[in-house]
Amino acid sequence: MHNVKVPKRIDYKLGDIVNSKYRVEKSLGEGAFGHVYKVADRYNNIYALKLLRLWEVPSDIRDLLVERFEMEFKTGQIDSRYLVRSLDYGFVNGNPFILMEFCPNGDLTSVVGKPCNSLSKIAAEVLHGLHDLHINAKVHRDLKPENVLIKSDGTAALTDFGIAGDRTKH
């Protein structure tokens, strides 16, 4: 177990600094236990930062959530053009965060139905991402349009490995 210290509430606003490294540019969205921000480093490189809001979680499940979050980070380090890359991991006020590559073109819901988008290309890229997970003994388990992001070069990439599973475990 991780023996997570008591996490403190964090409400980042535009311009706030995360972990003395990353400046909050804007909020990108929230999930059940996480909040994703667009952030910049001191060189103005842009990233996405996912913060796990442990202060909202009952203390008896915090260790399990942190373990899953670490697994999510490690899954995002699989070398694949078709997976959103995890770049940094840390804690701020007792809450873990993952720094990821930023995909400026939104998710799959924002491109479907627009002209000049090849659904067969996107489908092939999603399948490549699933394949890269599978050859690394991972299963996504939450595939949906919101978890397929479009990178700056137009490549579709899978994200949100929070409930991904290990194919080697039963």
Side-chain angles (χ1 to χ4, degrees), residues 36-121:
V36 181
Y37 299 92
K38 177 181 175 183
V39 298
D41 67 10
R42 63 183 173 164
Y43 304 107
N44 287 321
N45 297 309
I46 302 297
Y47 304 99
L49 185 139
K50 183 175 185 177
L51 177 73
L52 186 60
R53 299 185 313 246
L54 278 186
W55 71 88
E56 295 181 351
V57 177
S59 59
D60 60 327
I61 64 167
R62 287 180 183 152
D63 283 335
L64 176 63
L65 281 179
V66 170
E67 280 182 31
R68 281 192 179 170
F69 204 66
E70 287 175 357
M71 192 269 312
E72 179 175 358
F73 170 73
K74 290 174 185 168
T75 301
Q77 290 192 304
I78 293 170
D79 186 23
S80 170
R81 178 176 179 208
Y82 308 102
L83 303 177
V84 175
R85 184 98 173 129
S86 294
L87 304 167
D88 191 13
Y89 180 87
F91 282 82
V92 60
N93 290 342
N95 299 284
F97 70 85
I98 298 172
L99 186 78
M100 301 170 283
E101 71 179 298
F102 178 68
C103 298
N105 296 317
D107 64 33
L108 191 55
T109 62
S110 66
V111 298
V112 173
K114 290 188 178 176
C116 300
N117 283 309
S118 168
L119 289 182
S120 60
K121 173 188 171 293

Side-chain angles (χ1 to χ4, degrees), residues 111-161:
V111 298
V112 173
K114 290 188 178 176
C116 300
N117 283 309
S118 168
L119 289 182
S120 60
K121 173 188 171 293
I122 290 170
E125 291 167 347
V126 167
L127 291 172
H128 284 302
L130 290 171
H131 176 262
D132 291 342
L133 286 172
H134 291 190
I135 63 172
N136 285 279
K138 300 290 183 186
V139 180
H140 193 284
R141 296 191 343 196
D142 195 20
L143 188 58
K144 58 187 178 185
E146 296 84 0
N147 288 341
V148 179
L149 300 183
I150 310 302
K151 294 184 174 190
S152 56
D153 68 357
T155 302
L158 303 178
T159 192
D160 198 355
F161 310 116

